[in-house]
Amino acid sequence: MPCERKPMRYGHSEGHTEVCFDDTGKFIVTCGNDGDVRIWEGLDDDDPKFITVGEKAYSLALKKGKLVTASSNNTVQIHTFPDGEPDGILTRFTTNATHVAFNGSGSRVAAGSSDFMVKVVEVADSSQQKTLRGHAAPVLSVSFDPRDEFLASASCDGAVVVWNIEDQTQTVSWPLLQKTNDVSNAKSLCRLAFRPVAGKLLAVPVETKVHLYERGSWDHVATLSDDLLTQQINVVAWSPCGRFLAAGSVGGSLTVWDANSKLCVERQKHEKGFTVCSLAWHPSGSQIAYTDTEGCLGLLDGVGTSSTNSSTTKVPLASTLGPDKFRDDDDAGSTVAPEAAPLAPLHPVYEGPMPSAPQKAFQPGSTPAHLTHRFMMWNSVGIVRGYNDEQDNAVDVEFHDTAVHHAMHLTNSLGHTMADLSQEAVLLACPGTDELASKLQCLHFSSWDTNKEWMVDLPKGEDVKALCLGQGWAAVATSALMLRLFSIGGVQRQLFSLPGPVVCMSGHGEQLLVVYHRATAFDGEQALGVQLLQLSHRKKQLISGEPLPLSPRSYLSWLGFTAEGTPCYVDSDGVVRMLNRSLGNTWTPVCNTRETCKSKSDHYWVVGVHENPQQLRCIPCKGSGYPPTLPRPAVAILPFKLPLCQTATEKGQMEEHYWRSVLFHNHYGFLSSSGYEINEDAQNESQKEQQELLMKMFALSCKLDREFRCVELADLMTQNVVTLAIRYASRSRRMALAQRLSEIALEKANQIQEDEPEEPDYSSVCGSGKPTSSSGQPRVTNILDNMTSSRKSTPLSRSAGNLSKNPVLKPLAPSQSTLLQMTGAAAAARKTTQEDPEPSADQQKPADVPPPASPAENTENKRPKTGFQLWLEENRKNIIADNPDVDETDVIKEAMGRFRTLSAEERLENHSLYFRCRREDQTQTKTDIFSHRKREKFTNIMLQSLDESDRFNF
């Protein structure tokens, strides 16, 4: 019989795992030690739907859209399938249930427990229960008789018992197993099974064999064995047709027998030899799903294919079973029919995308509400835990910083299901019932008043769907599409209507972030909108109903603020997005937690985000979407990374680092504009880091001969860093780049000067459009005043020939004129004669530069001299003496050549002299500028007050 063993995949965390198929065979359903039930559409499904049922899930059963689970909270729960909605608790035990099973019709559930009892519960009415007592140890497994008359069970006391369900009595008992005191110590789970249809045979795994007992007489009629089986058989399962029996052993062996011939027809081995703890047949009988104690899921495909396909005619089972006692009463005319071909799906009239189910409202930082032990809130302030079991119904509040407040234990008599925690208060809410209204309770522990608690009843029919706390306020979103604002002391302040059903909310300081359904979504998407409000004295809406971006076919899983107050959120694909205030309040992805997950089933549960330092605080959940409450989970820190292109290269890494630094330090500007004090040292350090990265990228672009890219990077630099870039370009012999960078530096200096507040111009009061300078020339305050703010109008389009005639540019201060202009003006001053008023061609200045001002006015333009200029003044006579026939341009070129040959010590001496002179010149320049402006303003005022004759004499 050909059979293909598919590669196993991770399903749950290490521990006991169970598996079953749904009635249609479309889904594989598993449960495991992590407390989750996973619904797989196939073995290759990398993103199965999951339902959290408890801390641990020991067993499950599925029939007719009802999913029953036995969990570690001592209950047997029921959920709808495949939606996974909780449908109540069927029964409870004093300890955990170990195994559950449906009867053939799906109307009853049998459950065995570690408290030695077996219960049979009606699904329609859980109050109708039958308790079977008689075992002296924990129950291992249970199985219904297909006729719903008997129930078989195995126990750690070594007995296999058949019960009469109606009489609640033991029909027969066989001492077949080795005795143990607990299920975990049992050598075999002994998962027995009745044969389908008529149930004439009961299969019981006993050591390395399977015993078959006849229903009614309960005689041992046959034994199925295999010489290759050397370890205990753990579980057995009948095929849907009842012909084949599959068994899984402790050693990982998978064996299939033909019950008619009692021959082994298939042998397979677990790929790693782990214990097989559960088996399930596909409804078609062609596949077997199995799980092991490591939480992995496997599949055998093609089981019974050859036998089934060869049976093209009806073959009575009596012809192969032999004696009549092996024949079921209802099997007289039964056959093994070939698998029916699947029917073609019926297409609806509308063939477009179908509407998506809207995401339900949730509280960020909380685990599902149906759990008995759960996190009601985990944020940067503390943890709120909820307990709802037979022993206690309470809420525990724990603070990360005990200086805020001591831990609290609150009685949850109202059944609160939602909570939020801040450094001022604890906010709780419970849903309403037919008799009681939905309530909002606040414990204002930071109040100086003795009465620190207040409570509000919502209007009838209005339930709390989401809540959050801020600085001095509390917000509640309700089912009536209302958002109600309260003061922290309980005063009702504002209320307004939401555009759609709320999904979740979050608060930080004076900011309130609300996410809601803005429209009906299609094809698995979620159409969410977001509002960001600032609840300060001047209330305003920062984001009004903009769509919230999500990954394709994902939903919102966490919403909140960074510790610095920037909104951010996480979707179900693990993508973390943060608000970029500097780019029009857009959302930028800053991290993908799935990239650090080792398995598709692993998740990171986010609890906090920090911008300085850059940290994403989250809890790793192996094979689960939520962490358990006990033991307390450890918090991991993930780094941020912008999804830029080619981040494996040096260029991409520096670009990602720079823009991440810019994004994560935008909060300084927001906090400053909102009136908060900021850490100026940290802000300066971040700016320094960004400029260093720009300079590194500039150097890399120079090495790659990307000069245009260098200019683009210079646009992002500050004025001082552009000066460093000019020096780097000059030393790299990139004269054209240095020239362009010089103009960018002048432009930035001009912008800085324009941003500075200017003193009033009293000359406009005089109404005189003529300059007041005694020389009759227009007054020049700075050489940058005559340059436009756009680089297009600057002389950048000069030919290469003209550029080559200019002297080499050394890195100068951005507010200074070029070296050629400075030296040309100095030479012109020495060579000026009344016979030749026209300067030479080499000394001519650009058309946009005005004629030089008077010495009194040039005090504002007086600039410090560089180390090279000081050296040139000392050695100019020697250079002219060596080259008497050269012009000023050649003198500068010769001087620069000699200066480059100087040793490092000689250059350092000149630079030290340069910095001393620069400090002295700057101090003197500021004093001269102030005195000159003061004299000029006084002169203008006096001229305004005099008539023409007096003005002439003055």
Side-chain angles (χ1 to χ4, degrees):
M1 184 170 66
C3 178
E4 179 185 4
R5 177 170 59 83
K6 301 285 188 181
M8 299 197 71
R9 64 160 301 144
Y10 178 87
H12 297 269
S13 58
E14 181 180 353
H16 177 76
T17 312
E18 285 207 2
V19 63
C20 69
F21 282 93
D22 71 319
D23 297 336
T24 63
K26 181 181 178 181
F27 300 102
I28 303 174
V29 186
T30 60
C31 72
N33 211 34
D34 50 17
D36 283 347
V37 174
R38 302 191 187 281
I39 303 172
W40 313 76
E41 293 185 0
L43 195 65
D44 298 331
D45 186 4
D46 289 333
D47 191 16
K49 181 180 179 180
F50 64 92
I51 308 166
T52 303
V53 297
E55 301 295 335
K56 294 182 179 180
Y58 295 112
S59 181
L60 83 166
L62 178 60
K63 181 79 73 172
K64 294 185 177 179
K66 297 293 184 181
L67 176 65
V68 174
T69 55
S71 58
S72 56
N73 55 15
N74 308 341
T75 62
V76 176
Q77 305 176 42
I78 186 168
H79 293 75
T80 61
F81 184 86
D83 297 330
E85 295 293 331
D87 200 15
I89 296 176
L90 280 181
T91 186
R92 296 179 184 270
F93 294 92
T94 56
T95 60
N96 56 283
T98 57
H99 192 218
V100 292
F102 268 106
N103 64 351
S105 62
S107 60
R108 285 179 171 181
V109 171
S113 172
S114 294
D115 61 2
F116 313 164
M117 290 192 299
V118 178
K119 291 184 180 182
V120 180
V121 187
E122 296 289 336
V123 176
D125 184 6
S126 60
S127 62
Q128 301 297 321
Q129 298 186 7
K130 296 183 183 297
T131 304
L132 308 178
R133 294 180 174 88
H135 282 299
V139 178
L140 291 170
S141 63
V142 293
S143 179
F144 269 104
D145 164 32
R147 298 183 182 181
D148 214 13
E149 182 180 354
F150 299 104
L151 178 77
S153 63
S155 172
C156 290
D157 59 6
V160 175
V161 179
V162 178
W163 308 82
N164 187 302
I165 298 175
E166 294 301 322
D167 299 336
Q168 303 181 36
T169 58
Q170 292 186 8
T171 301
V172 64
S173 178
W174 301 295
L176 301 175
L177 311 177
Q178 189 174 357
K179 294 182 180 181
T180 56
N181 60 355
D182 188 63
V183 176
S184 60
N185 299 326
K187 292 188 176 181
S188 170
L189 293 177
C190 192
R191 292 294 165 88
L192 41 75
F194 273 98
R195 190 175 187 176
V197 191
K200 266 301 199 178
L201 296 176
L202 172 64
V204 182
V206 181
E207 295 184 349
T208 61
K209 301 177 182 179
V210 179
H211 291 188
L212 299 180
Y213 294 88
E214 183 186 23
R215 181 184 182 276
S217 65
W218 308 113
D219 294 335
H220 180 202
V221 294
T223 299
L224 302 178
S225 62
D226 185 29
D227 295 336
L228 299 180
L229 278 175
T230 58
Q231 291 184 302
Q232 298 262 356
I233 295 178
N234 215 26
V235 57
V236 296
W238 290 93
S239 63
C241 64
R243 178 179 176 182
F244 301 105
L245 180 70
S249 72
V250 173
S253 298
L254 295 164
T255 309
V256 181
W257 288 278
D258 188 328
N260 299 335
S261 62
K262 299 188 290 295
L263 297 177
C264 178
V265 293
E266 187 64 55
R267 297 185 185 93
Q268 290 288 341
K269 185 71 175 178
H270 189 287
E271 61 187 26
K272 294 185 179 179
F274 296 146
T275 299
V276 177
C277 53
S278 182
L279 290 173
W281 285 81
H282 191 275
S284 66
S286 61
Q287 293 179 335
I288 297 177
Y290 62 97
T291 54
D292 60 21
T293 53
E294 296 297 311
C296 294
L297 172 65
L299 189 68
L300 298 180
D301 194 15
V303 181
T305 303
S306 60
S307 300
T308 305
N309 292 341
S310 62
S311 303
T312 57
T313 60
K314 294 184 179 182
V315 181
L317 292 181
S319 62
T320 57
L321 274 174
D324 291 342
K325 61 183 179 181
F326 286 93
R327 188 184 350 171
D328 292 341
D329 296 341
D330 296 343
D331 288 347
S334 64
T335 63
V336 181
E339 183 180 356
L343 296 176
L346 298 177
H347 294 284
V349 176
Y350 174 71
E351 297 182 358
M354 300 303 294
S356 304
Q359 181 180 356
K360 294 184 178 180
F362 71 97
Q363 197 70 9
S366 66
T367 52
H370 67 271
L371 299 179
T372 55
H373 291 189
R374 58 183 288 256
F375 291 113
M376 299 178 70
M377 174 55 63
W378 187 322
N379 59 17
S380 59
V381 178
I383 304 172
V384 181
R385 292 185 179 91
Y387 304 94
N388 183 16
D389 50 30
E390 294 181 348
Q391 300 177 354
D392 193 12
N393 188 359
V395 174
D396 287 345
V397 182
E398 175 186 349
F399 294 88
H400 300 314
D401 184 4
T402 54
V404 177
H405 200 271
H406 58 79
M408 296 182 289
H409 181 80
L410 310 174
T411 303
N412 191 10
S413 57
L414 296 176
H416 293 303
T417 58
M418 286 171 281
D420 196 11
L421 179 64
S422 71
Q423 295 189 356
E424 296 178 317
V426 180
L427 189 63
L428 302 168
C430 64
T433 62
D434 295 338
E435 296 81 14
L436 300 176
S438 180
K439 297 181 182 293
L440 181 69
Q441 182 179 1
C442 181
L443 180 61
H444 186 198
F445 54 78
S446 65
S447 172
W448 50 266
D449 192 3
T450 56
N451 192 0
K452 300 178 181 296
E453 184 178 341
W454 55 270
M455 187 180 300
V456 172
D457 289 353
L458 267 64
K460 186 176 181 180
E462 189 172 342
D463 283 346
V464 176
K465 291 298 182 180
L467 54 84
C468 66
L469 284 168
Q471 185 176 357
W473 54 268
V476 179
T478 68
S479 58
L481 304 185
M482 299 280 290
L483 195 145
R484 300 178 179 272
L485 292 174
F486 299 84
S487 70
I488 200 67
V491 179
Q492 301 185 61
R493 293 170 57 179
Q494 299 283 350
L495 78 161
F496 60 90
S497 295
L498 292 172
V502 69
V503 176
C504 60
M505 295 195 309
S506 183
H508 182 279
E510 297 175 344
Q511 300 180 85
L512 171 61
L513 189 64
V514 186
V515 175
Y516 56 90
H517 291 285
R518 60 183 178 87
T520 301
F522 290 85
D523 202 19
E525 305 287 348
Q526 295 291 327
L528 303 182
V530 59
Q531 287 187 355
L532 178 61
L533 297 92
Q534 189 163 351
L535 304 179
S536 56
H537 294 293
R538 298 179 62 183
K539 298 177 177 60
K540 57 183 177 180
Q541 196 171 34
L542 304 179
I543 301 178
S544 56
E546 299 294 330
L548 188 70
L550 294 174
S551 301
R553 297 177 178 272
S554 66
Y555 54 88
L556 186 65
S557 60
W558 184 85
L559 179 76
F561 290 85
T562 65
E564 292 76 13
T566 302
C568 55
Y569 65 95
V570 186
D571 62 25
S572 58
D573 281 357
V575 179
V576 183
R577 293 178 175 87
M578 183 180 295
L579 185 69
N580 190 349
R581 301 183 190 272
S582 63
L583 196 61
N585 288 337
T586 54
W587 299 94
T588 301
V590 295
C591 180
N592 190 344
T593 60
R594 287 294 180 89
E595 292 180 353
T596 57
C597 292
K598 296 181 180 179
S599 172
K600 294 286 187 180
S601 302
D602 294 347
H603 295 82
Y604 280 96
W605 199 63
V606 178
V607 296
V609 182
H610 294 261
E611 295 181 75
N612 190 20
Q614 298 178 15
Q615 292 181 352
L616 177 64
R617 302 176 62 85
C618 50
I619 298 173
C621 303
K622 184 174 177 60
S624 174
Y626 305 100
T629 56
L630 293 175
R632 178 171 177 171
V635 177
I637 296 176
L638 296 183
F640 292 99
K641 183 178 179 181
L642 300 183
L644 299 185
C645 300
Q646 296 180 333
T647 53
T649 63
E650 183 181 5
K651 170 180 173 291
Q653 290 175 358
M654 287 191 290
E655 289 173 341
E656 189 276 334
H657 193 180
Y658 170 76
W659 288 113
R660 174 160 47 87
S661 178
V662 171
L663 175 64
F664 277 80
H665 292 98
N666 283 338
H667 65 275
Y668 287 119
F670 172 76
L671 294 176
S672 178
S673 62
S674 300
Y676 294 95
E677 294 184 0
I678 61 175
N679 188 347
E680 294 184 358
D681 293 338
Q683 184 180 15
N684 295 334
E685 189 66 25
S686 66
Q687 293 177 353
K688 178 181 177 182
E689 177 191 26
Q690 295 167 16
Q691 296 303 314
E692 288 178 354
L693 289 169
L694 287 173
M695 197 62 204
K696 290 179 181 179
M697 288 189 284
F698 179 87
L700 180 62
S701 299
C702 285
K703 292 179 182 178
L704 300 176
D705 294 331
R706 299 283 185 178
E707 295 190 1
F708 189 87
R709 185 182 297 170
C710 293
V711 175
E712 293 177 330
L713 292 171
D715 282 336
L716 303 174
M717 297 177 182
T718 61
Q719 179 183 358
N720 295 332
V721 180
V722 174
T723 305
L724 296 177
I726 295 174
R727 294 180 181 176
Y728 188 92
S730 300
R731 292 172 183 174
S732 302
R733 310 275 183 174
R734 300 180 184 276
M735 300 303 113
L737 175 61
Q739 176 67 29
R740 292 178 182 272
L741 294 178
S742 299
E743 293 165 358
I744 293 178
L746 294 174
E747 198 173 301
K748 288 183 178 291
N750 191 25
Q751 292 176 356
I752 294 175
Q753 190 178 34
E754 290 177 356
D755 294 338
E756 293 179 355
E758 297 182 357
E759 299 180 6
D761 187 5
Y762 293 100
S763 61
S764 60
V765 180
C766 302
S768 175
K770 298 181 180 180
T772 58
S773 174
S774 59
S775 63
Q777 296 176 346
R779 176 176 174 270
V780 180
T781 59
N782 194 296
I783 191 170
L784 300 181
D785 293 342
N786 298 303
M787 299 187 67
T788 59
S789 60
S790 175
R791 289 199 301 273
K792 293 182 179 180
S793 61
T794 58
L796 293 180
S797 58
R798 291 177 294 177
S799 64
N802 292 334
L803 286 174
S804 63
K805 293 180 181 179
N806 291 332
V808 179
L809 295 177
K810 292 297 287 182
L812 305 176
S815 61
Q816 302 165 1
S817 58
T818 63
L819 183 61
L820 177 62
Q821 294 168 349
M822 181 273 296
T823 54
R830 290 194 306 271
K831 297 181 180 180
T832 301
T833 59
Q834 296 181 357
E835 291 80 13
D836 186 12
E838 294 292 332
S840 63
D842 292 335
Q843 297 172 352
Q844 287 183 354
K845 299 182 180 180
D848 57 346
V849 178
S854 64
E857 294 164 347
N858 277 337
T859 56
E860 291 183 329
N861 293 330
K862 186 177 181 181
R863 58 178 181 78
K865 299 178 180 179
T866 65
F868 169 72
Q869 294 169 359
L870 294 173
W871 181 88
L872 178 60
E873 289 181 357
E874 295 178 0
N875 298 274
R876 178 184 293 276
K877 294 181 180 180
N878 297 333
I879 296 174
I880 295 176
D882 296 340
N883 304 276
D885 298 330
V886 298
D887 56 11
E888 185 64 25
T889 301
D890 295 331
V891 170
I892 295 174
K893 291 182 179 181
E894 178 65 22
M896 294 184 70
R898 294 186 182 186
F899 187 76
R900 289 195 183 96
T901 61
L902 296 178
S903 63
E905 292 78 8
E906 293 172 332
R907 289 194 184 188
L908 181 61
E909 181 180 356
N910 282 277
H911 279 290
S912 301
L913 181 61
Y914 156 69
F915 283 114
R916 287 197 301 271
C917 294
R918 181 175 181 179
R919 285 194 295 269
E920 295 173 0
D921 291 346
Q922 286 177 345
T923 304
Q924 184 63 32
T925 300
K926 290 180 180 179
T927 305
D928 293 343
I929 290 174
F930 177 77
S931 300
H932 179 71
R933 286 183 176 177
K934 190 173 182 181
R935 289 195 301 269
E936 184 183 30
K937 291 173 185 175
F938 176 77
T939 301
N940 291 336
I941 294 174
M942 293 299 297
L943 288 174
Q944 180 69 21
S945 61
L946 299 176
D947 56 17
E948 288 188 7
S949 60
D950 293 336
R951 192 178 304 170
F952 177 80
N953 296 328
F954 180 84

